[in-house]
Amino acid sequence: MDTLNLSWLLIAIPLASAGVLLVLGRRVDRWGHWLGVLASAASAAGAIAMLVELLGRGAADRSVGVHLFRWIPAGDLNVDAGLLVDPLSLTFVLLITFVGTLIHIYAVAYMEHDTDRRRFFAYLNLFVAAMLVLVLADSYALLFLGWEGVGLASYLLIGFWNYRSDYAVAAKKAFVMNRVGDMGMLVAMMALFATFGSVNYETVFAAAEGTNQGVLTLVGLMLLVGACGKSAQFPLQAWLGDAMAGPTPVSALIHAATMVTAGVYLIVRSGPIFEGAPTAQLVVVIIGAITLLFGAIIGCAKDDLKKALAASTMSQIGYMILAAGLGPIGYAFAIFHLVTHGFFKAGMFLGAGSVMHGMGEEVDMRRFGGLRRYMKVTYATFAFGWLAILGVPPFSGFWSKDKIIEAAFVGEGWRPLVFGSVALLGAGITAFYMSRLFFMTFHGEKRWNDGHSSTPDTAIARTPVQHPHESPRLMTVPMIVLAVGSVALGGLLSIGGVFTSWLEPVTGVVGDHEPVLPVWLLMTLTLAVVVVGLVLAWRQYAASSVPVIALAGSVLTRAARKDLYQDEVNDGLLVQPGQYLTRSLVYGDRQVIDGAVGGLGRVMVRLGDVTRRLQTGYVRSYAATMTIGLVALVAVVLATRI
Amino acid sequence: MSLVNYLVLSGILFSIGAVTVLVRRNAIVAFMGVELMLNAANLTFVTFARMHGELQGQVIAFFVMVVAATEVVIGLAIIVSIFRTRGSASIDDVNLLKS
């Protein structure tokens, strides 16, 4: 009996809290949000206790299965609900509960004026519970339960302000696109069960080696489809930008730090399957590379602060997926980047929320500018997150992103050159769009109406007067904590390769691999493209003035503003043909099936109309019929007799 | 005198009765036609009874008379009541059940 056997409490506490908040309803409005914070904090405390317990063991004993109960006993199919506590899942648990708790605290202040704050916290707790199920599960079946749970929580939270119909539509869009990914997950699970007779990690991974490569490729690709849906990777990426309709703490927790990284977790966790399927691995890397550039390009053109951050999230997860596709050499770095990204991106989202809070819910960056003098804490914390995502040493992102770029350059043939160059190019674009975002918001001249300047620009004068102010302590403290993480976490976890060796029991021991280009050259190149991106952004968005109304822009800019026409493509390729199909089915149903049935009825009615005329209602005519019939009958009988 | 003559007479009477039922509209006249047909049948029964020297035919003729009598009683009652309510004894006017 040790602390690990109580690991189910981590899930149960937030779940119970969500239940209490939802069932008791308005009665707990006064203190409900604090219950939510407490539940999340309790899980975080439990996670730390588990970390202490695991650190006290040898590296080989750090993977512990906790059997909970027999979940689906059905003949040959026997699914047990069990938890797997190992360095990988515990890393996620720590990230989810720690960042989650900070965001809970932030949300207490952020949602203060919302009458439904209690419901918001119920959903957040539900999300935390579901996400913990996802990462702690010891089988694909239980993982799928958490997978669907986070999808539900994400749907509820994106559509939290569902009185605005476009927000409700955004929620539905996210839900439907995730269902496409879920189909992939289901197919993968069915294939696993058909091949191995089990969906338990232990059984599957033990049997994976030596299994037919075709099966593993199928499973790998289907898992990738699931990962693409959840992690907003190409081609299922279109929902993430619209998901910013949710309150900002949701964007920070679910659509930046945790849920959207579930795809990376899935691929790293399913490592043994992917290692047996090089084709699937290659596809993973390609998807990661495409998304990386896709998100980065969109990020360069977005004027909506949150949507630009969402594009950046997509791009950064592209990095992680790329690393995860590289195999054991990339697993640890994918997870490492995921953790540091969880901190700095959540921090920046909270900063964005703070800016919106101070600017009357404005999100258009063209109407910000010069805010650094008004929101000093937000400015400083955002700056650390910005430096971290740029990969400037010694901030967190440097330690994780550079490693991914290095890993992308390892290999033979064309792959390292192509994928490495994409990763390198992505770093440059990232530097440009993040700097653009940062400068447009905090630097440059004011592009908002401060009420007493006689600005000649009428476009500004017409907007409501803004009184930018720093956010309350409850909001700034979580931002400061996350900023500290953005600064120091990467460096601290890199000392002596602490993080990679901590993950080694799961990701496997990797020998030294030399990139095709020397490491010092790669580092210099990375820093060089980052500086180029930064300087370009400075010249365009800080040193010169930014127009309040966006210019028409080039073809690429217009395409990027429209998310590279992702919605149009989906609409043209899937939605329209689907609608035509259903319409033609409806037409066929009406014309052919209804026509046949209705036509038969009409024929009968006509026939009845004709025969009805024989029934005159005159007794005499009936009697005549009878008589004639009788005479005819007698005549026939007589004729045959004679 | 051959018994065949009786059968011919019976056939003539039956035909007259049948034509009366088919042609006349007045319910009472039609009824009389029915009676004529019944009696034609009776005549046939009796004739055959004589031909075979048996009694069954004659007995059946009595039964037919009884049935005809009851029929007349009930039929006339119905015709009278229809005449009272509708002011007509024509069988073509009785068409309440026709849609």
Side-chain angles (χ1 to χ4, degrees):
Chain A
M1 189 67 197
D2 52 9
T3 40
L4 297 182
N5 280 335
L6 293 174
S7 49
W8 58 272
L9 272 176
L10 257 62
I11 299 165
I13 293 171
L15 194 63
S17 161
V20 166
L21 293 180
L22 286 176
V23 170
L24 294 187
R26 295 243 168 253
R27 268 162 285 181
V28 297
D29 267 357
R30 253 170 0 100
W31 47 268
H33 45 281
W34 289 116
L35 178 68
V37 173
L38 201 66
S40 181
S43 281
I48 291 169
M50 280 159 66
L51 176 69
V52 172
E53 169 75 25
L54 277 204
L55 285 177
R57 299 174 176 219
D61 302 327
R62 283 185 187 162
S63 178
V64 183
V66 183
H67 181 261
L68 295 182
F69 55 90
R70 177 153 286 187
W71 186 20
I72 310 174
D76 286 343
L77 177 69
N78 243 324
V79 181
D80 289 333
L83 303 181
L84 175 66
V85 182
D86 68 1
L88 178 60
S89 61
L90 192 57
T91 306
F92 268 84
V93 170
L94 284 165
L95 176 73
I96 295 157
T97 54
F98 186 69
V99 175
T101 306
L102 288 176
I103 291 173
H104 273 75
I105 295 170
Y106 176 92
V108 170
Y110 188 83
M111 300 296 284
E112 195 176 358
H113 304 298
D114 198 299
T115 48
D116 276 332
R117 178 162 61 166
R118 167 198 50 81
R119 188 163 60 90
F120 181 78
F121 275 85
Y123 293 161
L124 272 191
N125 275 181
L126 179 69
F127 168 76
V128 169
M131 191 70 203
L132 291 176
V133 170
L134 196 164
V135 297
L136 281 172
D138 74 342
S139 69
Y140 284 102
L142 194 60
L143 174 136
F144 194 64
L145 183 76
W147 194 266
E148 293 301 303
V150 292
L152 169 69
S154 157
Y155 167 76
L156 291 172
L157 285 164
I158 295 171
F160 186 73
W161 289 318
N162 55 13
Y163 47 81
R164 279 193 51 176
S165 62
D166 51 335
Y167 288 6
V169 168
K172 204 154 55 175
K173 184 176 178 186
F175 199 74
V176 170
M177 294 205 80
N178 268 296
R179 292 288 80 67
V180 178
D182 294 344
M183 280 315 295
M185 283 289 289
L186 282 172
V187 173
M189 284 205 291
M190 289 172 203
L192 284 176
F193 187 74
T195 317
F196 304 114
S198 166
V199 288
N200 213 41
Y201 293 151
E202 207 180 341
T203 328
V204 170
F205 296 157
E209 206 172 339
T211 308
N212 181 1
Q213 196 174 320
V215 175
L216 291 182
T217 308
L218 170 76
V219 173
L221 289 177
M222 286 300 131
L223 288 176
L224 177 64
V225 170
C228 282
K230 196 57 83 191
S231 293
Q233 296 296 292
F234 184 83
L236 296 176
Q237 80 289 3
W239 65 271
L240 187 61
D242 291 352
M244 296 301 122
T248 309
V250 173
S251 311
L253 178 61
I254 301 185
H255 305 119
T258 54
M259 185 190 85
V260 286
T261 58
V264 183
Y265 171 79
L266 183 70
I267 291 175
V268 173
R269 176 59 85 194
S270 312
I273 292 174
F274 281 97
E275 277 145 43
T279 322
Q281 268 187 323
L282 180 62
V283 177
V284 172
V285 179
I286 293 173
I287 294 285
I290 292 175
T291 317
L292 187 170
L293 287 180
F294 199 99
I297 292 169
I298 293 175
C300 291
K302 284 286 176 190
D303 290 329
D304 181 318
L305 176 59
K306 282 180 74 183
K307 289 198 172 169
L309 282 173
S312 151
T313 305
M314 195 194 287
S315 166
Q316 295 298 310
I317 296 171
Y319 269 108
M320 299 170 208
I321 294 275
L322 186 147
L326 292 172
I329 182 175
Y331 290 157
F333 303 136
I335 301 298
F336 191 22
H337 192 52
L338 194 157
V339 171
T340 56
H341 173 261
F343 273 80
F344 61 68
K345 187 53 72 62
M348 280 192 283
F349 260 113
L350 295 190
S354 172
V355 169
M356 286 161 62
H357 192 77
M359 291 293 284
E361 300 302 315
E362 178 67 62
V363 288
D364 188 351
M365 292 190 291
R366 293 186 184 275
R367 302 198 174 276
F368 293 157
L371 290 178
R372 67 180 187 279
R373 283 188 295 278
Y374 300 90
M375 307 177 177
K376 293 205 167 58
V377 180
T378 307
Y379 172 66
T381 53
F382 205 101
F384 288 134
W386 167 64
L387 289 169
I389 195 172
L390 254 55
V392 174
F395 294 92
S396 283
F398 166 75
W399 304 98
S400 50
K401 199 178 352 181
D402 264 33
K403 286 288 178 191
I404 292 182
I405 296 175
E406 263 174 43
F409 269 107
V410 174
E412 287 165 359
W414 56 276
R415 290 185 195 182
L417 291 175
V418 171
F419 297 137
S421 314
V422 167
L424 199 58
L425 180 65
I429 307 180
T430 306
F432 174 76
Y433 72 76
M434 285 312 296
S435 307
R436 169 182 182 270
L437 187 156
F438 183 70
F439 294 145
M440 275 175 95
T441 306
F442 293 104
H443 287 260
E445 79 278 29
K446 289 184 218 169
R447 292 184 302 277
W448 38 275
N449 189 356
D450 59 2
H452 42 70
S453 67
S454 52
T455 0
D457 197 338
T458 47
I460 293 174
R462 264 205 301 273
T463 54
V465 178
Q466 303 281 11
H467 303 285
H469 53 271
E470 189 52 271
S471 301
R473 193 71 53 82
L474 270 177
M475 283 165 74
T476 51
V477 168
M479 283 153 60
I480 292 168
V481 176
L482 288 172
V484 169
S486 313
V487 175
L489 193 68
L492 280 180
L493 291 179
S494 291
I495 298 171
V498 172
F499 192 75
T500 37
S501 56
W502 155 252
L503 279 181
E504 253 169 20
V506 184
T507 58
V509 184
V510 187
D512 276 345
H513 289 280
E514 277 304 309
V516 288
L517 300 174
V519 174
W520 63 265
L521 181 61
L522 284 180
M523 246 181 212
T524 325
L525 275 176
T526 313
L527 271 180
V529 292
V530 166
V531 169
V532 167
L534 180 77
V535 169
L536 280 178
W538 170 265
R539 280 189 47 194
Q540 199 174 344
Y541 296 103
S544 55
S545 69
V546 179
V548 178
I549 309 294
L551 305 174
S554 65
V555 177
L556 185 63
T557 313
R558 285 202 299 273
R561 259 185 215 137
K562 301 205 80 175
D563 303 307
L564 296 179
Y565 302 114
Q566 58 188 10
D567 290 333
E568 284 75 5
V569 169
N570 284 345
D571 202 54
L573 281 183
L574 300 163
V575 178
Q576 300 279 359
Q579 282 179 344
Y580 282 129
L581 183 67
T582 49
R583 278 193 201 128
S584 57
L585 284 177
V586 168
Y587 182 80
D589 180 53
R590 291 238 172 92
Q591 298 299 317
V592 179
I593 300 188
D594 284 10
V597 175
L600 200 65
R602 273 196 294 280
V603 166
M604 288 302 148
V605 168
R606 294 259 167 72
L607 221 62
D609 248 11
V610 172
T611 47
R612 196 163 58 95
R613 289 176 208 290
L614 295 176
Q615 307 289 330
T616 55
Y618 292 122
V619 176
R620 288 178 299 122
S621 67
Y622 296 152
T625 319
M626 277 169 66
T627 315
I628 294 165
L630 207 64
V631 169
L633 209 63
V634 171
V636 168
V637 171
L638 288 181
T640 51
R641 278 287 172 83
I642 295 163
Chain B
M1 192 175 175
S2 164
L3 288 173
V4 175
N5 294 338
Y6 292 99
L7 291 180
V8 172
L9 175 64
S10 154
I12 293 169
L13 284 176
F14 188 88
S15 302
I16 292 172
V19 171
T20 309
V21 169
L22 296 184
V23 175
R24 298 301 294 265
R25 278 196 194 126
N26 191 313
I28 296 179
V29 178
F31 225 73
M32 286 158 68
V34 172
E35 290 302 313
L36 210 53
M37 286 158 75
L38 282 171
N39 282 319
N42 272 353
L43 187 56
T44 320
F45 274 122
V46 174
T47 308
F48 279 116
R50 273 294 286 278
M51 277 167 78
H52 297 296
E54 284 174 359
L55 274 177
Q56 282 101 319
Q58 306 202 8
V59 172
I60 287 175
F62 278 114
F63 275 107
V64 172
M65 281 179 207
V66 172
V67 171
T70 45
E71 186 206 329
V72 165
V73 169
I74 293 168
L76 277 179
I78 292 172
I79 291 167
V80 168
S81 103
I82 287 175
F83 184 77
R84 278 208 186 135
T85 50
R86 304 179 64 96
S88 155
S90 168
I91 47 173
D92 288 355
D93 291 344
V94 187
N95 57 2
L96 266 182
L97 286 179
K98 200 172 167 185
S99 60

